[in-house]
């Protein structure tokens, strides 16, 4: 059973702004991509890590990957595509023979804990497809044109995180189906759902936040600063 983690870092980071691709943005001394790679590498359940970086390639990508030189699980990066799904497909095409499970992780989630990576890989090994998710703390309203239609039962709703982990045959089948139907999604699990296959939820971590806008980086810095003494102890 060989597990490969694809780390998707080929987005433009439009909502974030900034002058470098979001994955290369520094957070407490290393890039978001490097944080993500190191967290995945620290899980004994992951054998290989394959970064998917902007296809145009640039010095920043090289510098960021040089930073990770000692990480034995790291495979050479591949270039991504226009949509997240295209980047995932590019990564999937480059996984080594013998891969049985693929963990898809956003480079934009640098705070994922290795223990949760292991949890979700184990769940996918058992069930075929699994993702990290957290309950929704707020009351939810469904509305149209600014008017509430419904207040759904919050206990049935979860925020999807990454990694999302799939048996490679399921993921290939799901991508082929999406290609035929023209579906474009920002969540890999939804491709598996479209096959009718069960996708299992694994308790995630509210701190596994996604860096989307600039203020998310401030929150991530504060969370990391609080964790650091724990690492040094
Ligand atoms: N991603 C990717 N290839 C794409 C689009 C996204 O590899 N064509 C990656 C991003 O690099 C990110 C993750 O998917 O790590 C989640 O996407 P998102 O947070 O939306 O990042 P961006 O697409 O870069 O940001 P934006 O949508 O604001 O442009
Ligand atoms: Mg995006």
């Amino acid at each position: 059973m060989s597990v490969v983690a694809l780390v998707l870092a080929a987005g433009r980071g439009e909502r974030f702004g900034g002058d470098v691709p979001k994955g290369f943005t520094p957070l407490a001394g290393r890039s978001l991509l490097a944080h993500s790679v190191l967290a995945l590498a620290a899980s004994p359940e992951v054998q290989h890590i394959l970064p998917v970086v902007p296809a145009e390639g640039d010095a920043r990508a090289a510098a960021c990957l040089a930073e990770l030189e000692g990480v034995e699980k790291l495979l050479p990066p591949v270039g991504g595509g226009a949509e997240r799904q295209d980047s995932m497909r590019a990564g999937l095409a480059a996984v080594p023979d013998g891969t049985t499970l693929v963990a898809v992780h956003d480079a934009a989630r640098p705070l994922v804990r290795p223990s949760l990576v292991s949890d979700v890989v184990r769940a996918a090994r058992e069930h075929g497809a699994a993702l990290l998710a957290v309950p929704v703390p707020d009351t939810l309203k469904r509305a149209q044109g600014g008017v509430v239609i419904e207040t759904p039962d919050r206990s049935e709703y979860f925020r999807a995180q990454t990694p999302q982990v799939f048996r490679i045959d399921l993921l290939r089948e799901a991508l082929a189906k999406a290609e035929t139907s023209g579906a474009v999604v920002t969540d890999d699990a939804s491709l598996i759902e479209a096959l009718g296959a069960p996708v299992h939820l694994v308790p995630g971590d509210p701190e596994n936040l996604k860096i989307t806008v600039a203020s998310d980086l401030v929150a991530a810095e504060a969370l990391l600063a609080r964790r650091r003494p724990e690492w040094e102890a």
Side-chain angles (χ1 to χ4, degrees):
M1 277 274 209
S2 179
V3 181
V4 177
L6 304 180
V7 190
L8 303 185
R12 286 177 299 275
E14 272 165 16
R15 288 168 289 176
F16 185 78
D19 44 16
V20 299
K22 191 168 72 181
F24 306 138
T25 301
L27 163 66
R30 57 169 63 109
S31 66
L32 299 185
L33 172 61
H35 279 283
S36 294
V37 167
L38 292 170
L40 292 159
S43 163
E45 301 285 350
V46 173
Q47 277 75 53
H48 300 287
I49 300 163
L50 204 166
V52 182
V53 298
E56 52 278 19
D58 61 22
R60 288 170 302 228
C64 170
L65 293 163
E67 217 186 305
L68 292 167
E69 228 165 38
V71 180
E72 284 178 10
K73 295 179 180 181
L74 199 64
L75 297 172
V78 297
E83 301 292 339
R84 187 179 178 288
Q85 202 170 312
D86 302 320
S87 298
M88 207 254 282
R89 196 187 307 273
L92 189 60
V95 302
D97 290 346
T99 298
T100 49
L101 289 176
V102 178
V104 186
H105 185 63
D106 292 334
R109 291 189 190 270
L111 300 189
V112 66
R113 290 188 188 264
S115 61
L116 293 190
V117 173
S118 296
D119 289 348
V120 67
V121 170
R122 282 192 289 261
R125 186 170 288 137
E126 188 178 347
H127 301 293
L131 71 135
L132 294 180
V134 288
V136 179
D138 305 303
T139 297
L140 295 176
K141 298 288 181 190
R142 195 162 84 84
Q144 266 174 14
V147 178
V148 174
I149 298 171
E150 184 194 5
T151 302
D153 177 2
R154 177 175 74 188
S155 69
E156 290 188 352
Y157 287 81
F158 295 86
R159 292 159 65 113
Q161 300 186 333
T162 68
Q164 304 194 346
V165 189
F166 313 104
R167 258 188 9 232
I168 194 165
D169 53 315
L170 262 182
L171 187 55
R172 287 204 170 114
E173 189 186 342
L175 273 174
K177 181 170 174 178
E179 207 161 339
T180 315
S181 69
V184 177
V185 298
T186 56
D187 168 68
D188 314 300
S190 56
L191 297 174
I192 307 291
E193 293 154 35
L195 290 180
V199 176
H200 283 251
L201 297 187
V202 173
D205 173 6
E207 292 191 6
N208 181 18
L209 52 86
K210 183 159 81 74
I211 308 296
T212 305
V213 296
S215 60
D216 296 327
L217 203 58
V218 179
E221 256 156 26
L223 289 168
L224 263 184
R226 211 183 57 199
R227 273 187 200 181
R228 190 148 291 152
E230 186 187 310
W231 289 349
E232 284 164 3

